[in-house]
Amino acid sequence: MTEAPQENRPKSRGASRYVLALIPLLVFGGIAATAAKMLYDQDFHGKNIAEIPSALIGTKAPSLNLPPLEGSNLPALTDEAIKGKLTLVNVFASWCIPCRDEHPLLKQLAEDGRLNIVAINYKDKNENALRFLGELGNPYHAIGVDPNGKAAIDWGVYGIPESYLVAPDGTIIYKRVGPFDDISLKEGLFPAMEKALGKPVS
């Protein structure tokens, strides 16, 4: 096989360096374009970027075996606490301001006997969590404490508050990143509940 002429080699190396230098710029450009599209969709098409897709949707919920919140008089958060029930798993903490904002809506949701609401108390202090519930009320049927955030990692939590709707068969069917508001309930949670229940939800 004939070797390439010596004079062509430096040019080839120079072109390779040029291509390598372009890679970070292309990656950055892709990220920027994605972010711009999300903002455009939110501003001009009314899309809610808090409805982040999850790889867990359509799969079985991660196993739950969290100890109870001591002093709450509520059971621990285990697989039994959600088995066979349409369940909203809400991740909250007393230090989370948006959690405080969405709490009244969770209390309203708790009035619907078809929905079982449970909580993962994320990286919180026991006494602070109890104070939070004492001030704002308790919509939960079970609370499990997650002091190190391990359960949150298993569930793919981005940030809190965050909520997952789990079907009676244990499949995750909806995810909400950020606090619930009237729009996210009407356009996100309620349609997912209706699909699971086969009945209208208001």
Side-chain angles (χ1 to χ4, degrees), residues 175-198:
K175 175 179 179 177
R176 168 73 182 174
V177 178
F180 279 115
D181 54 24
D182 289 337
I183 294 174
S184 60
L185 290 180
K186 290 176 183 175
E187 297 183 358
L189 181 64
F190 289 166
M193 288 177 61
E194 287 175 0
K195 189 174 180 181
L197 294 168

Side-chain angles (χ1 to χ4, degrees), residues 57-140:
I57 291 178
T59 66
K60 292 292 183 182
S63 183
L64 289 166
N65 188 24
L66 297 175
L69 177 65
E70 292 183 11
S72 68
N73 297 319
L74 292 171
L77 183 53
T78 64
D79 292 336
E80 273 306 307
I82 70 170
K83 186 177 179 181
K85 305 168 186 173
L86 181 63
T87 301
L88 187 68
V89 180
N90 177 249
V91 186
F92 86 101
S94 64
W95 45 263
C96 162
I97 294 175
C99 296
R100 182 175 289 269
D101 293 338
E102 85 165 351
H103 208 75
L105 287 178
L106 293 180
K107 286 189 67 182
Q108 289 178 27
L109 289 172
E111 294 173 7
D112 187 334
R114 298 171 295 179
L115 184 64
N116 176 42
I117 305 180
V118 300
I120 296 174
N121 185 225
Y122 178 74
K123 292 186 177 182
D124 210 351
K125 291 184 177 179
N126 193 85
E127 60 273 20
N128 291 343
L130 291 174
R131 189 177 303 115
F132 177 94
L133 296 172
E135 290 175 7
L136 302 178
N138 173 39
Y140 307 117

